Amino acid sequence: MKIWDPLHECMPREDLEQLQLERLQFTLNRVYKNVMHYRKKFNELGIIPEDFQSLADLKKLPFTTKEDLGIDYPYGFFAVPLREVVRIHSSSGISTKPIVVGYTRNDVRMWSNLVARIMTAAGVTRDDLVQIAFRYGLFTGAFGLHYGAETIGASVIPTSTGNTERQIMIMQDYKTTVLVCTPSYALILADRIKELGIDPKSLSLKTGLFGGEPWSEAMRSTIESGLCPTATDNYGLSEVIGPGVAGECLCKDGMHIFEDAFIPEIIDPATGEALPPGSTGELVLTSLTKEAFPMIRYRTRDITSLDYGSCKCGRTMVRMKKTQGRTDDMIIVKGVNVYPSQVDEILFSIQQEHAPYQMTLTRKGALDILEIRIEVTSKIFSLVMKSQRAFVEQVKKRVKSVIGIDIDVSLVEPGSLRRQEGNIVKVVDQRQE
Ligand code: DLL
């Protein structure tokens, strides 16, 4: 099994920790000098970057959260002038404003190499034809995998999302060997292939890199039997770089986190205390090489555990387990991150009141369906029938323009939504694994 960057991916832990410390010092200096948010935190604690003499000192610093990024929207966390930024991406924020991330030329180079690592780990080589069916745009998934594949020297087929039959036609005619998309889209492709009576073995696919949302081992089996013989899981988040934070090798026993570029910690989400190795808790990440958008102790809100045991592939990088949920109420619908707080804001902006609502998620075939049920308040009730319909349409339209997905909206009887201790359960996820 080929390894893209054996020098780093197989580094003995002692050397790795030395490298992490040097890179951490570089990063802390950079943020202290250039990012007001971090300088304020250092000053409040009465410390300077030179005080960090060991990796354990990292714990002196407070966490960074998505709320912090929202306060300094859009560029407050950039550590370089915009003139040095060559790429901007974004992801859902807690409010209707997204979070904005930037990359310098060096960042894009580093990112491409990190993604080249996960692709090589999944068995991709320069002889492959890589069909990228992630949405091209502000989402980091498509461009990240695109640059990684080009770095390896593979041929990229940038189909983007949608038009499932065309995707399948391209797969058949261009003889795609590697598929890249969300696991839920892979299920849609597998379903359609079955409906069309195509034998998956007649395709040229040999491996697929999937990620961007949680998925189960059951989904992996369905994809491997009905679409492509090998499916690997890949994790990342825009704030930290995008894809390329962690990915499975062909042992498929956890995703290697590239620790020369990111320091992972597992904390108790309630207390913020570090948990002993092997425990399950919230993943916190610190970036070590990023120039434009360094992140210090970023709370990912993803729940997982870390395995420092050795892996048969030879990589020494720690492995994270599949995520086991989140410590906040974010959900991922059709590959798009959605926060109930975004829906709160949208409803308030339309109706100038906090209408009680519930988000129900179901899956029709392989397709995610999000329905927002809104209880009829006296304000909504007073609208004539026609305006009620217009209100429903307006909610759909605003959600499409702010969050980017099509949803169903219905009005329901006052008091009919499920409550727990008096509060409406905001998210009911009925999607089966
Ligand atoms: O989803 C980056 C990415 C793209 C990773 C393509 C892998 C492949 P965001 O849109 O910022 O970035 O969403 C990040 O998605 O905090 C997780 O909750 C979730 N997530 C991403 N990958 C996985 C995965 C990209 N493999 C958020 N398993 C993260 C479970 C995942 N959840």
Side-chain angles (χ1 to χ4, degrees):
M1 281 190 276
K2 194 172 176 311
I3 295 179
W4 180 253
D5 181 354
L7 176 69
H8 290 106
E9 292 178 74
C10 305
M11 224 175 202
R13 191 140 287 271
E14 209 177 301
D15 298 350
L16 175 65
E17 286 180 359
Q18 182 56 35
L19 180 67
Q20 285 181 319
L21 183 59
E22 284 161 22
R23 291 183 168 178
L24 178 65
Q25 282 162 342
F26 155 89
T27 302
L28 294 180
N29 268 302
R30 175 175 281 277
V31 299
Y32 181 69
K33 271 201 213 108
N34 303 316
V35 184
M36 186 63 88
H37 170 89
Y38 288 120
R39 182 163 354 160
K40 253 185 16 215
K41 298 283 174 201
F42 274 87
N43 290 345
E44 278 164 20
L45 293 165
I47 48 178
I48 53 170
E50 284 67 29
D51 293 335
F52 290 78
Q53 293 304 327
S54 80
L55 288 174
D57 289 340
L58 180 59
K59 301 205 166 28
K60 290 182 186 163
L61 287 172
F63 300 113
T64 308
T65 62
K66 200 163 225 179
E67 286 79 357
D68 294 328
L69 302 183
I71 293 168
D72 288 334
Y73 171 85
Y75 298 135
F77 271 80
F78 280 29
V80 295
L82 276 178
R83 140 172 43 92
E84 286 178 39
V85 170
V86 298
R87 178 82 66 74
I88 288 174
H89 281 285
S90 77
S91 175
S92 296
I94 307 244
S95 74
T96 48
K97 293 284 188 200
I99 55 112
V100 180
V101 301
Y103 305 73
T104 62
R105 206 174 286 285
N106 277 339
D107 290 335
V108 171
R109 199 172 303 133
M110 183 70 187
W111 187 22
S112 308
N113 273 293
L114 290 171
V115 177
R117 292 186 193 181
I118 59 169
M119 298 193 88
T120 307
V124 181
T125 70
R126 58 175 306 172
D127 296 326
D128 279 305
L129 285 142
V130 183
Q131 184 164 335
I132 300 186
F134 275 134
R135 186 187 301 280
Y136 276 74
L138 289 168
F139 177 56
T140 52
F143 280 97
L145 271 295
H146 184 119
Y147 275 59
E150 280 191 358
T151 301
I152 289 178
S155 315
V156 176
I157 313 171
T159 50
S160 197
T161 46
N163 206 337
T164 303
E165 285 189 16
R166 190 181 61 134
Q167 301 269 6
I168 295 169
M169 182 270 286
I170 288 174
M171 234 178 252
Q172 286 182 306
D173 296 354
Y174 301 11
K175 308 216 179 317
T176 304
T177 56
V178 178
L179 177 66
V180 172
C181 60
T182 57
S184 52
Y185 192 58
L187 286 183
I188 292 175
L189 284 165
D191 270 4
R192 196 75 195 111
I193 281 171
K194 195 168 169 193
E195 278 166 18
L196 294 170
I198 299 168
D199 177 4
K201 291 201 188 75
S202 70
L203 301 170
S204 308
L205 287 178
K206 65 169 202 204
T207 188
L209 284 99
F210 304 103
E213 62 183 10
W215 54 308
S216 60
E217 286 302 331
M219 278 169 83
R220 188 192 323 250
S221 315
T222 311
I223 295 169
E224 290 188 337
S225 60
L227 185 64
C228 76
T230 296
T232 66
D233 191 5
N234 297 279
Y235 171 87
L237 60 165
S238 316
E239 300 89 312
V240 172
I241 207 163
V245 174
E248 278 180 338
C249 61
L250 292 173
C251 302
K252 296 185 207 164
D253 188 18
M255 296 176 273
H256 290 282
I257 301 182
F258 298 123
E259 292 173 274
D260 55 317
F262 312 101
I263 297 181
E265 299 172 70
I266 296 288
I267 61 157
D268 175 335
T271 63
E273 289 301 316
L275 292 175
S279 319
T280 298
E282 183 181 325
L283 178 68
V284 170
L285 292 167
T286 297
S287 74
L288 294 174
T289 64
K290 283 169 72 192
E291 294 178 343
F293 198 80
M295 271 291 105
I296 309 295
R297 305 195 82 200
Y298 187 69
R299 287 192 65 163
T300 65
R301 308 286 173 187
D302 291 313
I303 301 170
T304 184
S305 62
L306 301 180
D307 181 353
Y308 286 88
S310 59
C311 181
K312 285 197 212 83
C313 73
R315 290 176 184 81
T316 49
M317 306 265 130
V318 69
R319 283 164 293 154
M320 65 180 268
K321 283 233 158 57
K322 270 188 177 299
T323 61
Q324 294 167 40
R326 299 214 13 123
T327 62
D328 63 7
D329 48 13
M330 185 189 95
I331 44 172
I332 305 186
V333 187
K334 299 176 189 162
V336 176
N337 302 353
V338 183
Y339 288 92
S341 48
Q342 293 177 294
V343 175
D344 285 338
E345 250 186 64
I346 290 172
L347 293 181
F348 191 80
S349 71
I350 298 174
Q351 210 43 14
Q352 302 308 308
E353 67 170 351
H354 292 285
Y357 72 92
Q358 185 171 69
M359 297 158 70
T360 309
L361 272 148
T362 47
R363 202 166 260 161
K364 194 170 163 200
L367 202 70
D368 286 343
I369 313 266
L370 171 59
E371 182 184 12
I372 300 184
R373 294 184 186 154
I374 306 168
E375 280 187 2
V376 175
T377 58
S378 47
K379 208 166 175 181
I380 299 174
F381 187 70
S382 67
L383 299 171
V384 286
M385 212 42 178
K386 217 166 115 202
S387 318
Q388 284 190 2
R389 241 177 278 135
F391 167 67
V392 165
E393 285 311 310
Q394 219 180 340
V395 175
K396 283 188 189 173
K397 244 174 139 170
R398 282 281 291 158
V399 169
K400 175 79 182 168
S401 81
V402 173
I403 307 178
I405 50 170
D406 289 307
I407 59 156
D408 295 334
V409 176
S410 54
L411 298 177
V412 299
E413 296 263 315
S416 64
L417 295 176
R418 181 146 68 87
R419 283 163 166 81
Q420 225 164 37
E421 288 164 11
N423 294 321
I424 289 183
V425 180
K426 281 254 170 96
V427 179
V428 180
D429 195 341
Q430 295 170 336
R431 290 177 291 190
Q432 260 134 35
E433 298 210 320

